[in-house]
Amino acid sequence: MDQIDKHIGRRAFIRNTGLAGGGLIIGFSWLNSCKPKNISTEQALEMPKEWFEINAYIKIGDNGVATIFCPNPEFGQGVMTAMPMIVAEELDISWKDVLVKQAPFNTELYERQFTGGSQGIRRSWEGLRMAGATAKQMLKQAAAEAWQVPVSGITVSDGVLSHEATGKTAGFGEMAAAASNMEVPENVETKAVKDFKIVSHSKKNVEGKQIVTGEPMFGLDYQYEGTLIAMVEHPPAFGLKLKSFDDSEVRNMPGIVDVFQINTYDDNFVRNFFDTNAFPDLVAIVGKTTWEVMNAKKKLKAEWEPITEKKLTFDRFGSISEVTVPSGLESTKKHDELMEKMASQPGEIARKDGDPESAFKNAAKVLERSYSCPFLAHNCMEPMNFFAHVTEEGIKLAGPSQAPSIIESTLASRLDVPAEKIEIEMTRMGGGFGRRAYGHYAIEAALISKQAKAPIKLVYSREDDMTFGIYRPSYQATYRAALDENNNLIAFHVKSGGVPESPLFANRFPAGAVDNYLAEQWVINSNITIGAFRAPRSNFTAGVEQAFLDEVAEAAGKDPIDFRLELLKRVKENPVGEENDYDPDRIAGVLKLVKEKSNWAQTPPGVHRGVSAYFCHNSYAAHVVDVVMDGDQPRVEKVTCAIDCGIVINPDAASLMAEGAIVDGIGNAMYGNMSFTDGKPDHSNFDTYKMIRQNEAPKEIEVHFVQNEIDPTGLGEPPFPPVFGALANALYKATGRRFTKQPFSTDKPPLVG
Amino acid sequence: MCLNFVSLFPSNSDIFMPSITIMAKLNLKINGEVKEVDVDPSTPVLWVLRDHLNLVGTKYGCGIAQCGACTVHLDGTATRSCMLTVSMVGNSEITTIEGLSENGDHPVQKAWLDVDVPQCGYCQAGQIMTAAALLDKNPNPSDEEIEMAMNGNICRCGTYLRIKKAVKIASENS
């Protein structure tokens, strides 16, 4: 995602005159008109008579209350709380005087309003601190002028400005008006980590009360006067497209307003990075209420026809590439056969160190193991949806998106309107996991609104959501390791690929730790669309690599943690190659911490343990999974987790994120599975797509963070991938079997019965 | 409870297909008030709440009573509103998340805030309604009883441990 980030510039702190003035910058107008009950954090604070805008992140009221805007969209990762905490820290205001709001989507004011890649905090850290620190400096400057004293003599604490020599003090509210007219300082100091009072001190979710009282917050809850409901019908199988449709039974059904075809973009349209879409030709049904449109959709008769092979052009942040979409109706059975075939042939070499061929030939012991995983559906609890109101004057959109900037860019191009005429309101997202970076549903909503000449809310049914594509790809990997007569790892070989993407990270551990190393990859093209799914590629690679290393450690007669630590020591002291993209000390750090906290040396009786450690998205995570046998059924009793993500902004929320990643990891390792028959997804709802449930979650999860002062890195993804490996390793200890095919619950031969 | 190697899905007794298609005026008792709605009687309560009564706290997740996001109370019993047609409600009292307490201070809501349960938050109204109905009938549930009661509510973010913890705290405080 590097390409969509720009260096944090000064513009974010510059006052936005276009939005200046009192009142709210963004209007969740529907909150006022239809809110069933007035309970929110807003009510807990006394509202000022007047607000003064200090910069795009901060408004201060005449009573000292501050509104801090969270620039990034929230999908459960906690940025709505964490980002304002960083601003408030440097502003030096008391957290109880802070009101948090979602910022408007505005590329002039904010950088990288994107949720994904675990980069939110990492990329914004410096900018958010500067936003708070420059605002504080402007308040100090205002006080200095008011009191006719040097600014250097003014101190700030908890929203109070003081000048010790003269004994003068003033709250932020008293200086806010003057501060808002101050020059934005060029250079300001930020706080020392040891002086943090808000950052690294747990704060509750700022939207917790709205959530538990059922306030409208999500895209699906969005209301706007005169809004019609729209749904779309897409082909039942990948490899098919719309041929024709018959709406005669539908048009006269109760509540139905219009039925028509839309084309999200044609084959010549130059697509943005996240414009993945298997089904650009759709039938739209527009009506008054959701239930009426759902019923009408069932009566729609559509004919489908096979697609022919086509080439699509993608503009991936300036890099133009062509993608071939093959024709045909694909099946999981066929995918598996093809993957096995590719795995048996030489792949494209991505990295080679030393002489792996000779090393394997001369080895005392060679281990080999193959692994695979199926496609996965994201299954966000809030199905895809978006509000759109397209008029001659401009386009108003609102809904759940991880990447509103992509929607703006694609829509501007598709409808040939300037970006300035497109307004996007970011609602809270009912989950994302990567899925909501792909904004086809927002484009569809706009096209439907334009055609229907009305504000509409496009709603996907669960079935639409689960069968539209953009899945985690199916992957395969074969690992080989060579040991010498002293059980030293002398060669390592990974060959991996997938449909239609390789999961290989050629420069990650254990690359760098082995003299003779070979990494190969291959790809099988497909018309089933794939997309980012929580820690793309790592969500397979971490698990299988860590499962294989467990096996190698066992063959070498070594403790699995000690074995990894030995390899990491080698990387630190005498690394092989120069491209290794991880810090061996920090992987070792989380391994040592998880070893200590899990009391690894003393496994309780009846407990079977597996360990794993992995680096991705700039952070480090290690898990110890404890499995116990309940009769012939394994059960995850406890997971101990160690993470190094640098400075932890909101520790309790960070723990919650890791807890969720662990449960998600166990769920997808055990049950996650999207398979296909003749292009058709075999699952379309939660009756047959098994999601982890309450009784399958671990009894206990302990999360520990490495304490350091390294600039913070992300957390949404890093704790997820290694879960698969630690679970597989614990299951091996519990059952004596190596689980190599995800989902483990159906890995043959069946574990039970 | 175990990792289910055999697929297990909660059964739901109120699954049936709507068949009536005429519009009708119905009086519904919702959150202590009588609301008149003019809808096809086969309309699920979920969509009456969301599209006709502006009570959008009750969420759509699956439409087939498998995920629990749409849970409301029907005479105090946790019920999936996505498959409960409005014609089936009769004189029964419906309570939604908006009506669970006057000021968001039901012991379950308070416990949810104490534990800081939600991530994305979308499933939480359903989780809270299921938990509140459980505690109403069984004020001191065991871990296993909590798991059984909460098993029909999917949380995609994986907040299950905090949900269980919050149910226990609510049990102690109510």
Side-chain angles (χ1 to χ4, degrees):
Chain A
M1 312 288 158
D2 286 355
Q3 296 92 326
I4 59 169
D5 297 305
K6 295 172 206 149
H7 183 69
I8 295 157
R10 263 175 50 79
R11 64 179 180 168
F13 323 125
I14 294 170
R15 207 168 301 109
N16 169 45
T17 49
L19 295 175
L24 295 173
I25 284 187
I26 49 166
F28 269 59
S29 54
W30 42 276
L31 270 183
N32 299 324
S33 61
C34 64
K35 190 160 59 176
K37 212 182 286 181
N38 293 319
I39 306 158
S40 71
T41 47
E42 226 169 301
Q43 264 62 37
L45 283 173
E46 196 180 317
M47 287 297 104
K49 291 188 186 71
E50 199 172 351
W51 287 105
F52 301 96
E53 191 176 305
I54 311 297
N55 59 38
Y57 292 86
I58 301 165
K59 282 193 307 177
I60 295 179
D62 54 16
N63 64 347
V65 166
T67 297
I68 300 182
F69 292 93
C70 173
N72 284 25
E74 171 72 62
F75 70 175
Q77 80 279 44
V79 279
M80 278 285 281
T81 308
M83 286 187 163
M85 281 173 72
I86 299 168
V87 177
E89 179 69 67
E90 294 292 348
L91 180 61
D92 248 330
I93 191 168
S94 173
W95 184 246
K96 68 175 171 45
D97 292 328
V98 172
L99 175 69
V100 170
K101 289 199 174 292
Q102 178 75 71
F105 170 67
N106 188 325
T107 51
E108 292 299 311
L109 289 178
Y110 307 100
E111 305 279 0
R112 200 185 185 278
Q113 292 185 287
F114 174 79
T115 287
S118 300
Q119 297 300 304
I121 293 292
R122 176 171 174 258
R123 294 300 183 110
S124 304
W125 170 244
E126 186 192 340
L128 294 168
R129 295 182 80 185
M130 291 301 287
T134 51
K136 181 169 77 176
Q137 187 62 25
M138 288 156 77
L139 286 155
K140 285 166 79 172
Q141 194 66 46
E145 286 186 18
W147 300 334
Q148 293 293 301
V149 298
V151 71
S152 56
I154 292 173
T155 57
V156 179
S157 179
D158 288 342
V160 177
L161 298 140
S162 308
H163 186 255
E164 201 181 339
T166 58
K168 288 185 187 294
T169 65
F172 277 179
E174 296 167 64
M175 295 296 165
S180 69
N181 292 316
M182 288 290 153
E183 279 294 309
V184 179
E186 285 289 339
N187 296 302
V188 288
E189 276 183 26
T190 50
K191 284 181 167 178
V193 173
K194 66 174 174 53
D195 295 329
F196 285 167
K197 287 161 49 177
I198 296 172
V199 166
S200 299
H201 297 72
S202 294
K203 302 294 173 211
K204 293 268 162 68
N205 183 340
V206 294
E207 296 195 307
K209 189 107 189 205
Q210 288 105 305
I211 291 169
V212 304
T213 52
E215 284 196 28
M217 313 170 78
F218 298 94
L220 211 54
D221 305 339
Y222 193 84
Q223 294 178 20
Y224 186 94
E225 202 178 345
T227 298
L228 298 173
I229 299 295
M231 298 189 85
V232 287
E233 182 77 0
H234 70 259
F238 294 88
L240 293 181
K241 63 177 181 177
L242 181 67
K243 184 182 178 191
S244 63
F245 66 96
D246 172 3
D247 61 9
S248 53
E249 273 192 63
V250 176
R251 287 199 160 270
N252 297 324
M253 287 179 72
I256 297 308
V257 175
D258 207 349
V259 184
F260 49 84
Q261 186 178 339
I262 59 164
N263 172 256
T264 312
Y265 11 73
D266 65 30
D267 290 352
N268 298 321
F269 184 79
V270 178
R271 287 154 164 77
N272 272 314
F273 192 100
F274 293 110
D275 287 339
T276 305
N277 185 354
F279 306 123
D281 290 305
L282 304 164
V283 183
I285 303 167
V286 182
K288 288 180 182 156
T289 66
T290 317
W291 182 244
E292 288 167 323
V293 178
M294 277 181 170
N295 281 332
K297 190 167 178 280
K298 288 178 194 144
K299 298 282 184 187
L300 182 78
K301 290 182 186 134
E303 275 196 74
W304 317 98
E305 62 185 347
I307 61 165
T308 49
E309 183 178 293
K310 55 186 172 182
K311 290 191 191 310
L312 302 176
T313 307
F314 278 83
D315 180 349
R316 300 175 201 272
F317 310 113
S319 158
I320 306 290
S321 61
E322 208 169 63
V323 173
T324 301
V325 179
S327 60
L329 301 175
E330 301 173 22
S331 294
T332 297
K333 196 165 167 285
K334 186 75 178 163
H335 285 160
D336 290 349
E337 288 167 13
L338 281 171
M339 290 203 293
E340 221 166 282
K341 189 173 159 227
M342 293 301 283
S344 68
Q345 299 169 356
E348 171 206 318
I349 295 176
R351 173 165 167 168
K352 186 174 176 179
D353 300 326
D355 182 0
E357 290 83 1
S358 301
F360 274 104
K361 214 159 110 189
N362 301 323
K365 216 183 278 179
V366 172
L367 285 87
E368 179 175 330
R369 186 72 78 176
S370 291
Y371 304 86
S372 67
C373 72
F375 285 83
L376 293 176
H378 292 79
N379 294 339
C380 307
M381 289 310 292
E382 179 193 17
M384 299 305 117
N385 67 88
F386 231 78
F387 167 84
H389 190 200
V390 178
T391 63
E392 289 295 319
E393 288 72 47
I395 299 173
K396 157 89 182 160
L397 297 171
S401 168
Q402 291 176 235
S405 61
I406 303 287
I407 291 172
E408 182 186 76
S409 161
T410 300
L411 193 59
S413 170
R414 174 64 181 84
L415 288 183
D416 197 21
V417 291
E420 304 82 69
K421 286 201 166 188
I422 301 172
E423 180 197 342
I424 304 175
E425 191 172 323
M426 301 183 292
T427 60
R428 191 178 180 89
M429 289 175 264
F433 309 99
R435 177 63 180 84
R436 283 191 231 271
Y438 301 83
H440 59 88
Y441 51 96
I443 312 301
E444 291 157 16
L447 293 171
I448 295 167
S449 170
K450 189 180 180 196
Q451 171 92 19
K453 294 186 172 56
I456 65 103
K457 185 162 58 177
L458 172 65
V459 178
Y460 274 34
S461 67
R462 173 56 58 194
E463 289 80 4
D464 296 335
D465 186 283
M466 209 181 279
T467 60
F468 202 92
I470 312 181
Y471 304 115
R472 194 285 297 271
S474 179
Y475 297 123
Q476 195 277 351
T478 300
Y479 284 84
R480 291 198 304 147
L483 300 172
D484 66 12
E485 61 279 6
N486 296 319
N487 284 323
N488 296 308
L489 179 62
I490 53 168
F492 195 87
H493 176 202
V494 52
K495 180 162 55 178
S496 59
V499 187
E501 172 192 81
S502 162
L504 183 71
F505 290 98
N507 296 318
R508 289 209 179 144
F509 186 73
V514 196
D515 288 315
N516 305 293
Y517 174 86
L518 178 65
E520 298 175 84
Q521 59 185 344
W522 47 265
V523 160
I524 294 166
N525 211 355
S526 171
N527 57 34
I528 298 171
T529 50
I530 59 151
F533 184 112
R534 195 174 207 166
R537 303 188 290 149
S538 288
N539 58 39
F540 174 67
T541 296
V544 298
E545 160 206 300
Q546 290 294 309
F548 187 64
L549 283 177
D550 201 68
E551 206 167 336
V552 178
E554 187 185 40
K558 291 174 184 170
D559 172 83
I561 294 181
D562 293 345
F563 176 69
R564 286 169 173 82
L565 291 174
E566 277 173 30
L567 292 175
L568 290 160
K569 190 161 170 259
R570 160 75 202 272
V571 181
K572 184 176 163 63
E573 289 170 356
N574 181 24
V576 181
E578 289 170 359
E579 305 289 313
N580 306 319
D581 70 355
Y582 58 94
D583 179 340
D585 275 346
R586 293 181 81 184
I587 301 187
V590 289
L591 271 169
K592 286 173 187 164
L593 184 60
V594 86
K595 184 179 180 179
E596 176 205 328
K597 297 295 182 183
S598 68
N599 203 6
W600 178 257
Q602 286 164 324
T603 304
V607 171
H608 311 279
R609 293 186 140 172
V611 67
S612 69
Y614 192 69
F615 158 78
C616 69
H617 298 88
N618 312 99
S619 294
Y620 299 78
H623 302 305
V624 167
V625 166
D626 291 1
V627 162
V628 297
M629 292 304 286
D630 208 341
D632 58 359
Q633 293 271 347
R635 160 162 67 80
V636 179
E637 183 75 9
K638 182 177 176 181
V639 180
T640 310
C641 162
I643 294 172
D644 181 355
C645 59
I647 296 164
V648 183
I649 309 300
N650 193 7
D652 187 57
S655 290
L656 174 60
M657 178 56 74
E659 290 166 31
I662 289 163
V663 172
D664 190 10
I666 293 170
N668 276 304
M670 289 299 299
Y671 315 113
N673 185 12
M674 177 55 94
S675 55
F676 303 89
T677 307
D678 297 329
K680 190 173 188 290
D682 291 335
H683 307 284
S684 63
N685 207 323
F686 298 132
D687 51 349
T688 66
Y689 196 110
K690 170 91 176 89
M691 308 286 284
I692 189 168
R693 290 178 184 268
Q694 175 68 247
N695 70 336
E696 294 143 351
K699 298 281 181 209
E700 188 184 352
I701 295 176
E702 258 184 38
V703 183
H704 302 276
F705 292 95
V706 173
Q707 301 295 320
N708 59 37
E709 295 192 1
I710 299 171
D711 281 355
T713 49
L715 202 56
E717 287 158 307
F720 178 65
V723 177
F724 295 69
L727 177 62
N729 297 339
L731 287 173
Y732 168 69
K733 291 282 187 188
T735 67
R737 270 196 53 211
R738 293 279 176 193
F739 286 80
T740 59
K741 282 184 173 35
Q742 296 167 25
F744 298 153
S745 64
T746 56
D747 191 0
K748 298 285 186 293
L751 194 64
V752 286
Chain B
M1 300 308 279
C2 297
L3 292 168
N4 290 320
F5 275 75
V6 182
S7 250
L8 272 185
F9 299 103
S11 62
N12 193 295
S13 56
D14 54 32
I15 293 177
F16 57 89
M17 293 309 293
S19 56
I20 313 160
T21 54
I22 45 166
M23 300 293 274
K25 280 191 179 171
L26 295 164
N27 287 317
L28 296 174
K29 288 185 199 162
I30 298 178
N31 298 335
E33 292 176 40
V34 176
K35 302 272 188 187
E36 189 187 82
V37 291
D38 188 5
V39 294
D40 175 346
S42 73
T43 308
V45 167
L46 168 67
W47 296 113
V48 174
L49 294 171
R50 292 188 59 85
D51 284 357
H52 298 267
L53 297 172
N54 257 349
L55 293 168
V56 295
T58 306
K59 299 301 188 215
Y60 167 65
C62 69
I64 57 168
Q66 292 292 318
C67 80
C70 66
T71 305
V72 299
H73 294 173
L74 189 66
D75 290 334
T77 299
T79 305
R80 309 291 183 239
S81 67
C82 71
M83 294 201 78
L84 172 74
T85 65
V86 72
S87 63
M88 297 297 294
V89 174
N91 280 323
S92 295
E93 295 260 4
I94 294 169
T95 307
T96 71
I97 186 73
E98 292 91 343
L100 185 63
S101 63
E102 190 59 38
N103 298 304
D105 54 2
H106 184 281
V108 172
Q109 288 168 312
K110 281 163 74 176
W112 242 249
L113 292 175
D114 278 355
V115 178
D116 220 8
V117 173
Q119 281 192 23
C120 86
Y122 191 80
C123 75
Q124 299 296 349
Q127 305 274 5
I128 288 167
M129 295 307 284
T130 303
L134 164 70
L135 294 180
D136 198 40
K137 290 186 168 54
N138 180 0
N140 295 297
S142 66
D143 276 21
E144 202 146 299
E145 285 168 333
I146 295 172
E147 287 175 9
M148 288 301 286
M150 303 306 298
N151 232 27
N153 289 71
I154 295 173
C155 173
R156 174 67 182 87
C157 299
T159 65
Y160 294 127
L161 279 82
R162 296 217 179 184
I163 288 170
K164 199 197 280 181
K165 188 174 172 189
V167 174
K168 286 185 191 174
I169 289 176
S171 162
E172 286 159 16
N173 293 344
S174 55

